[in-house]
Amino acid sequence: ITRVLPNLQQICFYNADNTAEDNNNRQHLCISSNEVDVIARFRKLQSLILSHIQLDGNNIHHPTLFGFPHLRKLRLSNVDGLELDLEELSSDGLLPSLEDFYCADLDNLQGDIKSLTTCSFKDTLKHITMKSCPKIHGDFMILANFPRLETIFMRDLPLVGGDARHITDGDFPILRRLSLPTSVYGFGPLDCVADAPEVMNV
């Protein structure tokens, strides 16, 4: 298939037959390790979407699936059998063109969001969405000097922290949307009523 479609730019694996509202009750589309190898051969991919997928066989790590030099959009949602660390994902040269990173309901995605600053991600990322990834940790302020970042949407990340009062002029220079977990000070209950005006003025 890679010979027939050598210029394929988008692949989406999604179990469209699911009707259950609860993610835990949905059936997962099963993808074998051989099929993963086939996906990895499409070197011109610009968009890869995996949603409600079961990766069959041994846990699959980043080099097999994420070495796409032209990939701009990566969306991972409820992918069972995938072992992934942000530090591995942000290795130099792995995804040098990534602009849109979306991950949701990934129990095995772990690491410090600081890892996103260690490679070209800092210069390419425009949109970051992270939801219900309980092993992700770090201070959201590490993203403050990403020059192209337009969207940060984070929900249900209990180990991600920081303080909204630390945002100053020059931080997040072109950000248009900011939604952070309640574990970030200023986006959850305030310890002191006196802090309210300072948070509101950010």
Side-chain angles (χ1 to χ4, degrees):
I1 189 172
T2 54
R3 290 193 298 270
V4 177
L5 300 171
N7 297 313
L8 189 68
Q9 295 185 359
Q10 177 172 331
I11 292 178
C12 177
F13 280 97
Y14 177 73
N15 193 351
D17 292 335
N18 278 313
T19 58
E21 294 183 1
D22 184 356
N23 282 337
N24 294 326
N25 291 328
R26 292 186 179 186
Q27 297 297 313
H28 284 62
L29 182 67
C30 189
I31 298 178
S32 70
S33 56
N34 288 336
E35 290 169 319
V36 169
D37 289 338
V38 171
I39 295 173
R41 294 173 190 165
F42 289 99
R43 304 299 295 168
K44 296 184 179 180
L45 270 189
Q46 294 189 19
S47 175
L48 176 61
I49 301 172
L50 303 177
S51 181
H52 293 89
I53 301 299
Q54 170 68 53
L55 299 180
D56 194 21
N58 295 327
N59 286 332
I60 298 172
H61 291 262
H62 73 98
T64 309
L65 193 54
F66 300 116
F68 299 107
H70 304 290
L71 198 72
R72 296 186 177 184
K73 177 186 293 185
L74 176 61
R75 299 199 167 198
L76 306 171
S77 176
N78 220 309
V79 182
D80 289 346
L82 176 66
E83 295 285 345
L84 190 61
D85 190 292
L86 288 180
E87 185 174 356
E88 297 174 331
L89 188 65
S90 59
S91 298
D92 285 335
L94 200 61
L95 296 170
S97 305
L98 192 65
E99 297 179 353
D100 185 341
F101 179 44
Y102 177 103
C103 56
D105 302 301
L106 297 175
D107 291 339
N108 289 329
L109 176 63
Q110 60 185 343
D112 192 329
I113 57 177
K114 182 179 180 180
S115 299
L116 299 179
T117 69
T118 61
C119 69
S120 60
F121 281 0
K122 182 177 177 179
D123 297 319
T124 62
L125 277 176
K126 294 182 179 180
H127 309 285
I128 298 176
T129 301
M130 296 181 174
K131 300 187 293 183
S132 300
C133 299
K135 295 181 181 178
I136 295 296
H137 60 91
D139 188 330
F140 85 97
M141 284 296 297
I142 201 70
L143 305 174
N145 60 351
F146 278 46
R148 303 185 68 193
L149 200 55
E150 299 177 12
T151 304
I152 299 176
F153 186 92
M154 296 181 174
R155 278 287 184 269
D156 299 321
L157 305 176
L159 301 182
V160 171
D163 192 329
R165 295 171 299 176
H166 294 164
I167 300 176
T168 61
D169 291 340
D171 291 338
F172 307 103
I174 64 170
L175 198 69
R176 297 180 180 180
R177 183 185 185 190
L178 177 63
S179 181
L180 296 170
T182 56
S183 49
V184 172
Y185 197 80
F187 284 80
L190 298 176
D191 294 336
C192 179
V193 174
D195 287 339
E198 189 174 355
V199 171
M200 292 292 291
N201 289 330
V202 170

